[in-house]
Amino acid sequence: MSGRLSKRGLLWGSCLAVVVGAAAPGTAYAAEKENLPPVVQNLQTEFEDCATGDTLAYVGSPPVLTARLTDPAEDDRIGYPEQVNAEFEIWWSDADGAEQRRSLTTSPAYPDWIHRVTVPSDIPADTVISWHVRANDGRTNSAWSSEEPGAACRFVHDDRSPDAPVVSSPEYPAETWWVGGVGVYGSFTMDSPSPDVVEYRYSFIGGPHGTVRPAEPGGPATIRFVPLSRAPETLSVQALDRAGRMSGRTDYRFHPKAASAPVSRWKLADAAGSTTAAAEAGQAARAGRGVTFGGPAPSGTPLTSTAALDGSGHGFLTTDAPAVDSGSTFAVGAWVRPAETGRAMTVLSQDTAFGTAYALGLEAPGNGTAAWTFTLGDAKVAGGAPEAGEWAYLLGVHDTETGYAQLFVNGHEVGTKAEAAPVAADGAFQIGRIRGNNGYRQRWHGDIGDVRAYDRLVVPQEVTELAQRKPKLLGHWSFSTAADGTTPENKGGSPLRLGAGASIHRGPDGCIPDIDPDCPWQPYPLVGEGNLVLDGESGHAVLDAPVVDTGDSFTLGVVARIGEADATRPMTVLSQAGEHTDAFRLRYDPSEYAWQLIMPEQDEAGAPEKVVSQVTRSDGSSGHGTRLAIVYDDATDTVKLYADGHTSTEATARLRNGWTSTGPLQVGRARTADGWGEYLKGDVDEIQAFAGALRDLDAGSLGHETDPCLCG
């Protein structure tokens, strides 16, 4: 016998030894089962499943061939599996038709091991090469993997990379200045001269990037792209062939022109008594008797006036033609202020022969909350929270390239974008009503201004700019001087009156203590030439009137410092009272080691409060005070507290329906149940007040002698 006995053989042999030994002592026999051949499985060419028959695998470099080898458990010897090795054989026909063969063998390994070899680098290119493999367990070879029912694996070695693609665009020709336009889609076709290209990989600077496949190998492929700004654009493209080889890169540069103006626009700023609304673009709109021009405009916008619609059958404006082609990508928007929110009302709509192509408006479900809506055919997007008497900028967008309709309120997307099919229309454009089965309905009651329609995509920056309301500086107090018990506003506005226990501190005057021994030491002001000092007992400063309208968007900035030894109780730096409670109170709470902004939801004693906070030292991170800012955005119903230019989710809260306080601005104290309290002991500087909500960047720059630019 050759080799070792298997475990099963040993057991069987032991039994025989007992029986035979009884008949003939000293004689023993062992039995061994027939060896079973190993098995070849999971063949791969360059880690892809083996290609057989007319199917060929294309590889860009001499490939790795792999196979998994197993051996039946019955062949195990004394409990140990047999080791197996693989013999790979490749063959092809050379240029003269002669068959060439190579054999590659792996080292023995235990069963279930993946065996691999790398094909020699001198194999010919563009030639069909076949291969098969068999396994050997030291005693027996398996059948070749190509024997029935198997088949030989086949591949072709491609040693040439594809040619770089040629890129073209009818809307955006290469190296041509000011073509197409922001928000206008263009087609970009990629075409490599190589016949085996199966994919193009592309990227634009700043995105997007992706892949696209031609309809057939070697063919062109086209993508659609929309510029979001007028900055020069570069499209980089590479071609990938069926062997996985990559071409060189083609960079296609083009220069979009600025965004086009609306194709229709009505400012609705016509003179009182007008019967038509002049069109900045498009067709003038006829006004019904229920339209009154000369109404108020949203503050912080370029608008000078708007139109009021009375909600009656005469409160509408209309044209004889569509405002925009709604069968393609388009957008419509307007400034609106509803007088009520308890019923459905339409801001604008487009007639079809039997109904409406699209509409922008307000819905008020009987058992739900009112919401803004944009409808297109059967699709609808709803979101936001309309409030009677509050301005909002609405924008509905339909992008036929993506197939989605979207709704933006005050520059922010609301609701869930909806899949929508284009709805072409050739009827009249309506402002303030919508066409139904029995005539017009859902008539608007409230103000409307600056109605626009675009025949392109309105890009994100424009969405923000259209809804932007530029804040207005109401006052800035730097506490550099005091006279007659007051400290002036920097530009001649209302001064702050100083109460007992309040004084102005100025720094060293004309001398430097560290250099001049006769110069008395004095602490420097928080900012600039002076700051307010409060004694913590009665010290405060007060205006004669409210500084901001707390029922609308506002921003307040201040620099405050409380010595660590003095931070023993809550102290308020800014507050503004209503009839029963403060509309806001900005204070330091030493038990929380944080500045807190407290805003009651109603002007009622004990009303629920929104509280946001910023953890910091009472004297500031560097001992020179903390730059604090309050920003209430009535359009988004959010309030934020900033500390040294930063805010966070913990310093942000939702506050709907802010209420207007009538009390004056208080510096250094807050209203309490028995009068005034929470007097601040410390330093205060650079109070800045704005009507409107500052953006994050601008709010973060408060607390200096200069005011933020608010330039764009």
Side-chain angles (χ1 to χ4, degrees), residues 28 44-45 73 89 128 153 155 178 192 194 247-248 304 343-344 356 362 457 491 499 509 550 575 607 639 662 673 690:
Q44 291 188 322
T45 304
E89 186 177 55
V128 177
C153 301
F155 69 87
W178 316 139
S192 170
S194 299
S247 75
T304 56
R343 64 179 180 87
T356 301
L362 177 157
L457 191 69
K491 297 182 180 180
D509 190 8
T550 54
S575 67
V639 60
T662 55
F690 297 83

Coordinates of all heavy atoms in Angstrom, one line a residue, residues 28 44-45 73 89 128 153 155 178 192 194 247-248 304 343-344 356 362 457 491 499 509 550 575 607 639 662 673 690:
A28 N -2.8 -9.3 10.8 CA -3.7 -8.1 10.8 C -3.8 -7.6 9.3 O -2.8 -7.7 8.6 CB -3.3 -7.0 11.7
Q44 N -12.3 32.3 -12.7 CA -12.4 33.7 -13.0 C -11.2 34.2 -13.8 O -10.1 33.7 -13.6 CB -12.5 34.5 -11.7 CG -13.8 34.3 -10.9 CD -13.9 35.3 -9.7 OE1 -12.9 35.6 -9.1 NE2 -15.1 35.8 -9.5
T45 N -11.5 35.2 -14.7 CA -10.5 35.9 -15.4 C -10.4 37.3 -14.9 O -11.4 38.0 -15.1 CB -10.8 35.8 -16.9 OG1 -10.9 34.5 -17.4 CG2 -9.7 36.5 -17.7
A73 N -14.1 14.9 1.3 CA -13.7 14.6 2.6 C -13.3 13.2 2.8 O -12.5 12.8 3.7 CB -14.8 15.0 3.6
E89 N -3.6 25.9 -17.9 CA -3.0 25.8 -19.3 C -3.7 26.9 -20.2 O -4.9 27.0 -20.2 CB -3.2 24.4 -19.8 CG -2.5 24.2 -21.2 CD -2.6 22.8 -21.7 OE1 -3.8 22.3 -21.8 OE2 -1.6 22.2 -22.0
V128 N -7.6 35.9 -29.4 CA -8.4 35.1 -28.5 C -7.5 34.1 -27.8 O -6.9 33.2 -28.5 CB -9.6 34.4 -29.2 CG1 -10.4 33.5 -28.3 CG2 -10.5 35.4 -29.9
C153 N -12.4 28.7 -20.9 CA -12.5 30.2 -20.7 C -11.8 30.9 -21.8 O -10.7 30.4 -22.2 CB -12.0 30.6 -19.3 SG -12.8 29.7 -17.9
F155 N -10.4 34.9 -23.3 CA -10.2 36.3 -23.1 C -9.4 36.9 -24.3 O -8.7 36.2 -25.0 CB -9.6 36.6 -21.8 CG -8.2 36.2 -21.6 CD1 -7.1 37.0 -22.0 CD2 -7.9 35.0 -21.1 CE1 -5.8 36.6 -21.8 CE2 -6.6 34.5 -20.9 CZ -5.5 35.4 -21.3
W178 N -19.8 84.0 -23.0 CA -21.2 84.4 -22.7 C -22.2 83.7 -23.7 O -22.8 84.3 -24.6 CB -21.3 85.9 -22.8 CG -20.2 86.7 -22.2 CD1 -19.6 87.8 -22.6 CD2 -19.6 86.4 -20.9 NE1 -18.6 88.2 -21.7 CE2 -18.6 87.4 -20.7 CE3 -19.8 85.4 -19.9 CZ2 -17.9 87.4 -19.5 CZ3 -19.0 85.4 -18.8 CH2 -18.1 86.4 -18.6
S192 N -15.6 59.3 -28.4 CA -14.3 58.8 -28.6 C -14.1 58.2 -30.0 O -15.0 57.4 -30.4 CB -13.8 57.9 -27.5 OG -12.6 57.3 -27.8
S194 N -12.4 55.7 -30.7 CA -12.1 54.3 -30.5 C -13.4 53.5 -30.5 O -14.4 53.9 -29.9 CB -11.4 54.1 -29.1 OG -10.1 54.8 -29.1
S247 N -8.8 56.4 -21.2 CA -8.2 57.3 -22.2 C -7.6 58.5 -21.4 O -7.8 58.7 -20.2 CB -9.3 57.9 -23.1 OG -10.1 58.8 -22.5
G248 N -6.9 59.3 -22.1 CA -6.5 60.6 -21.6 C -7.7 61.5 -21.3 O -8.8 61.2 -21.8
T304 N -41.7 99.4 -3.9 CA -42.2 100.6 -3.3 C -43.7 100.5 -3.0 O -44.1 101.2 -2.1 CB -42.0 101.8 -4.3 OG1 -42.7 101.4 -5.6 CG2 -40.5 102.0 -4.6
R343 N -59.2 79.9 4.6 CA -59.8 79.3 3.4 C -58.7 79.3 2.3 O -57.7 80.0 2.4 CB -61.0 80.1 2.9 CG -60.7 81.6 2.5 CD -61.9 82.3 2.0 NE -61.6 83.7 1.6 CZ -61.2 84.0 0.3 NH1 -61.1 83.1 -0.6 NH2 -61.0 85.3 0.0
A344 N -59.0 78.4 1.3 CA -58.1 78.3 0.2 C -58.1 79.6 -0.7 O -59.2 80.1 -1.0 CB -58.5 77.1 -0.7
T356 N -56.8 74.3 -15.2 CA -55.6 75.0 -14.8 C -54.3 74.2 -15.0 O -54.3 73.0 -14.7 CB -55.7 75.4 -13.3 OG1 -56.8 76.1 -13.1 CG2 -54.5 76.2 -12.8
L362 N -52.6 79.1 -1.4 CA -52.7 78.8 0.0 C -53.8 77.8 0.1 O -54.9 78.0 -0.4 CB -52.9 80.0 0.8 CG -53.1 80.0 2.3 CD1 -52.8 81.4 2.9 CD2 -54.6 79.7 2.7
L457 N -34.6 77.5 -15.3 CA -34.5 77.1 -13.9 C -34.0 78.4 -13.1 O -33.1 79.1 -13.5 CB -33.5 76.0 -13.7 CG -33.4 75.3 -12.4 CD1 -34.7 74.5 -12.1 CD2 -32.2 74.4 -12.4
K491 N -25.1 107.8 15.2 CA -25.5 108.6 14.1 C -26.5 109.6 14.4 O -27.3 110.1 13.5 CB -25.9 107.7 12.9 CG -24.8 106.8 12.4 CD -25.2 105.9 11.2 CE -24.1 105.0 10.8 NZ -24.5 104.2 9.6
G499 N -29.2 105.4 34.1 CA -29.8 105.5 35.5 C -28.7 105.5 36.5 O -27.5 105.4 36.2
D509 N -6.1 108.0 28.9 CA -6.3 109.2 28.0 C -4.9 109.8 27.7 O -4.4 110.6 28.6 CB -7.2 110.1 28.7 CG -7.7 111.3 27.8 OD1 -7.3 111.2 26.6 OD2 -8.3 112.2 28.3
T550 N -40.6 93.5 18.0 CA -40.4 92.0 18.3 C -41.5 91.1 17.6 O -41.3 89.9 17.7 CB -40.5 91.8 19.8 OG1 -41.7 92.4 20.3 CG2 -39.3 92.5 20.5
S575 N -33.2 93.6 27.6 CA -34.6 93.2 27.6 C -35.5 94.3 27.0 O -35.1 95.4 26.9 CB -35.1 92.9 29.1 OG -35.1 94.1 29.8
A607 N -46.4 82.7 30.7 CA -46.6 82.1 29.4 C -45.4 81.2 29.1 O -44.3 81.3 29.6 CB -46.6 83.2 28.3
V639 N -35.4 81.5 16.1 CA -34.6 82.5 16.9 C -33.3 81.8 17.2 O -33.2 80.6 17.5 CB -35.4 82.9 18.2 CG1 -35.7 81.7 19.1 CG2 -34.6 83.9 18.9
T662 N -44.3 96.7 23.6 CA -44.5 98.2 23.6 C -43.5 98.9 24.5 O -43.4 100.2 24.5 CB -45.9 98.6 24.0 OG1 -46.2 98.0 25.3 CG2 -46.9 98.0 23.0
A673 N -41.6 90.1 38.9 CA -43.0 90.2 39.4 C -43.2 91.5 40.2 O -44.3 92.0 40.3 CB -43.2 89.0 40.3
F690 N -31.2 96.1 14.6 CA -31.6 96.1 13.2 C -33.1 95.6 13.1 O -33.5 94.7 13.8 CB -30.7 95.1 12.4 CG -29.3 95.5 12.3 CD1 -28.4 95.1 13.4 CD2 -28.8 96.1 11.2 CE1 -27.1 95.4 13.3 CE2 -27.4 96.4 11.2 CZ -26.6 96.1 12.2

